[in-house]
Amino acid sequence: SLNSITPATSGSLALGIFCAGARGPQGRFDGFASAVGCKGAAADDDEALGDCDLIVEATTEVMDVKRAVFARLDAVAREDAILASNTSGLSITQMGRSTGRPERVLGLHFFNPASVMRLVEVIAGEDTSPEATQAAVDLVTRIGKTPVRVAECPGFLVNRVIVRALTEAYRRAAETGAD
């Protein structure tokens, strides 16, 4: 279970990565699995995900696609599995409400490259249970990353800060005539 994972035993976590895209699922999974130190299999085969404790969705940043994926994952995942999205800013609540288990849906935003970047945003949607959120925070800590709990809001935390910083930099550059 998620609560028994430690850096030394993280290989016991049944981790599923559901991803699709131009680069294909295997390349994305290899980097992610390496970053989190877990064993598992990238899956676009629904049956392969049935025994996972945690499934992280990593599809294109289009809400209709994500909702369809979460509805599909809900149908094949164990009842106690946590479903997570690696989204950088879309609504976790909307994704969760496309399932029958919105209390077990959350965001796990790993920054690129995941093998190097330590920060992971743990995003609870409006319906995410405190227990699921804490399990995710504990997992992120146990795999040697730094979890940051984030309330669902546009851009979450890091993207909101980056946008404001860049806006200020561009404003200042325009004021001073810098290139």
Side-chain angles (χ1 to χ4, degrees):
S1 81
L2 290 176
N3 290 329
S4 65
I5 305 305
T6 66
T9 65
S10 61
S12 66
L13 174 65
L15 174 68
I17 307 296
F18 182 98
C19 38
R23 293 185 300 184
Q26 192 58 42
R28 289 185 183 171
F29 174 76
D30 289 344
F32 185 86
S34 172
V36 300
C38 295
K39 294 179 183 175
D44 54 10
D45 172 8
D46 292 350
E47 289 182 30
L49 297 170
D51 291 328
C52 293
D53 299 297
L54 169 69
I55 302 172
V56 180
E57 163 278 325
T59 58
T60 185
E61 289 286 288
V62 175
M63 183 56 77
D64 288 343
V65 172
K66 293 199 181 277
R67 289 176 57 90
V69 167
F70 272 88
R72 184 172 157 188
L73 293 175
D74 187 45
V76 299
R78 288 192 340 237
E79 198 173 293
D80 64 337
I82 292 176
L83 306 180
S85 177
N86 190 45
T87 184
S88 60
L90 296 178
S91 173
I92 301 302
T93 300
Q94 286 184 35
M95 289 179 232
R97 289 180 181 169
S98 64
T99 74
R101 64 175 94 193
E103 72 284 355
R104 298 197 61 78
V105 175
L106 50 82
L108 281 178
H109 183 209
F110 286 79
F111 292 88
N112 283 321
S115 59
V116 175
M117 301 298 285
R118 292 182 42 86
L119 189 69
V120 178
E121 291 175 317
V122 179
I123 307 103
E126 291 176 17
D127 305 316
T128 306
S129 73
E131 295 80 15
T133 303
Q134 188 60 52
V137 166
D138 291 347
L139 171 67
V140 169
T141 301
R142 288 177 181 144
I143 61 174
K145 301 288 184 182
T146 303
V148 176
R149 288 179 189 248
V150 180
E152 183 176 71
C153 61
F156 307 138
L157 173 66
V158 173
N159 287 334
R160 287 174 71 100
V161 170
I162 288 171
V163 167
R164 290 180 190 251
L166 289 175
T167 300
E168 178 60 19
Y170 290 133
R171 184 193 65 73
R172 186 71 180 134
E175 285 178 358
T176 63
D179 289 332

